[in-house]
Structure formats: C-alpha cells, structure tokens
Amino acid sequence: MQARMNNPAMLLPDAFKSIQALLKTVHSVDIPVETLELVHLRSSQINGCSFCAHYSSKQLKELGTSDDKLWAVAAWREAPFFDDGERAALELAEATTRLADKGDAVDDELWKRITEHYDEEQIAALTLMIGLSNLFNRVNAVTRQPAGETF
C-alpha cells in the first residue's frame, strides 16, 4: 500500500505540535504507559488502522509487553494476560471507539468498573488517549498511511 499523501499532521506543523503537546500531557499522568498503549492498539485494531496497530505493537514490545499479551489484545476478554484495570481500560477503549453501536456507549456499569481502578485524572488521560487514537486512526486510514512507515 502506498500513502495517498503525506501525513496531514506533518503537512500542518502546528497540528503536529498540538498533538505532541496533548500526548505529552496524557503521558504526564500517573498511569502505566503500557495501559495507554494497550488502549491505542485496541482502538486501532477496531478501526483497521495498520499504521497505528503496527506502531503501538512496536511500542508495547519496547515496554517489555510479552508476546502472549500482545497477541491477545483483540481477544482480551478471554485471555488471562490482563489485569482488572487493563480490562476496564480496554473495555472503555472499545466502547468509546464504537460510540454509535449503542445508545449509552459508556453505561453506568462500565463507568463503575473504570472508577474502581482509576481516579479522575487517570480517566481523563485514558479518555484523551482513546480520542487521540481514534483521531490518528481516521487520519491514517483516510490517507492510507502504510504500516511500518515513520514520520
């Protein structure tokens, strides 16, 4: 696959700076980087963004994530490799990425599970990371950014 155009964030330098600033803010919160990358990977899998799925998988490997855990992200509900906090974060990623699939995308039961593992600042970071992941996925899918490429 060949990109239709250069990555839009690279074509608009102020956009790239803004995205980087937001990512820096998200990563400044006391939440495991692995959890942030897991939600990014899951959102990317759902959206079919090969660029982001590849990038996030590489990041997770660099963080020391086991192959078993990495291979099981798409089937996290049935896999034993995730703790309860990661499971709640992955469920939030799925619900947020699939907003249109049901009327109340993040119902009270899911919200309760999230708040059992994360405080408001951490939930804010997770929510922003999922939102950014969906932004990246959409930009990369529309412009056909190929997996394995770098900016």
Side-chain angles (χ1 to χ4, degrees), residues 7 11 28-29 47 49 59 61 68 71 80 96 99-100 122 124 128 138 144 149:
N7 189 293
L11 290 171
S28 73
V29 174
N47 288 323
C49 180
Q59 292 296 110
K61 286 300 294 175
D68 287 334
W71 296 330
T96 304
L99 282 176
Q122 293 169 320
L128 288 170
R138 282 149 177 77
R144 292 190 179 158
E149 294 291 319

Side-chain angles (χ1 to χ4, degrees), residues 60-72:
L60 284 160
K61 286 300 294 175
E62 288 176 14
L63 290 169
T65 303
S66 71
D67 289 340
D68 287 334
K69 188 173 190 175
L70 185 60
W71 296 330

Side-chain angles (χ1 to χ4, degrees), residues 92-117:
L92 181 65
E94 288 185 359
T96 304
T97 300
R98 295 178 166 144
L99 282 176
D101 287 358
K102 57 183 185 175
D104 187 6
V106 179
D107 60 30
D108 291 338
E109 291 175 16
L110 172 52
W111 192 256
K112 183 178 184 295
R113 283 191 294 283
I114 290 293
T115 60
E116 289 172 357
H117 300 284

Side-chain angles (χ1 to χ4, degrees), residues 5-133:
M5 62 183 281
N6 290 331
N7 189 293
M10 302 310 294
L11 290 171
L12 304 173
D14 287 343
F16 184 73
K17 289 177 196 172
S18 298
I19 291 167
Q20 290 300 324
L22 191 50
L23 277 171
K24 182 179 179 182
T25 300
V26 165
H27 282 276
S28 73
V29 174
D30 182 25
I31 189 168
V33 177
E34 184 180 32
T35 301
L36 294 173
E37 285 300 329
L38 287 170
V39 300
H40 178 61
L41 176 56
R42 187 63 192 121
S43 294
S44 300
Q45 290 171 333
I46 292 166
N47 288 323
C49 180
S50 66
F51 181 94
C52 289
H54 179 261
Y55 178 84
S56 194
S57 296
K58 282 181 60 176
Q59 292 296 110
L60 284 160
K61 286 300 294 175
E62 288 176 14
L63 290 169
T65 303
S66 71
D67 289 340
D68 287 334
K69 188 173 190 175
L70 185 60
W71 296 330
V73 171
W76 62 268
R77 283 179 177 82
E78 294 81 25
F81 312 112
F82 305 92
D83 66 33
D84 290 341
E86 291 168 333
R87 289 176 184 284
L90 287 163
E91 186 176 0
L92 181 65
E94 288 185 359
T96 304
T97 300
R98 295 178 166 144
L99 282 176
D101 287 358
K102 57 183 185 175
D104 187 6
V106 179
D107 60 30
D108 291 338
E109 291 175 16
L110 172 52
W111 192 256
K112 183 178 184 295
R113 283 191 294 283
I114 290 293
T115 60
E116 289 172 357
H117 300 284
Y118 303 102
D119 64 26
E120 281 192 340
E121 188 175 72
Q122 293 169 320
I123 294 169
L126 276 171
T127 303
L128 288 170
M129 185 66 183
I130 296 163
L132 282 168
S133 298

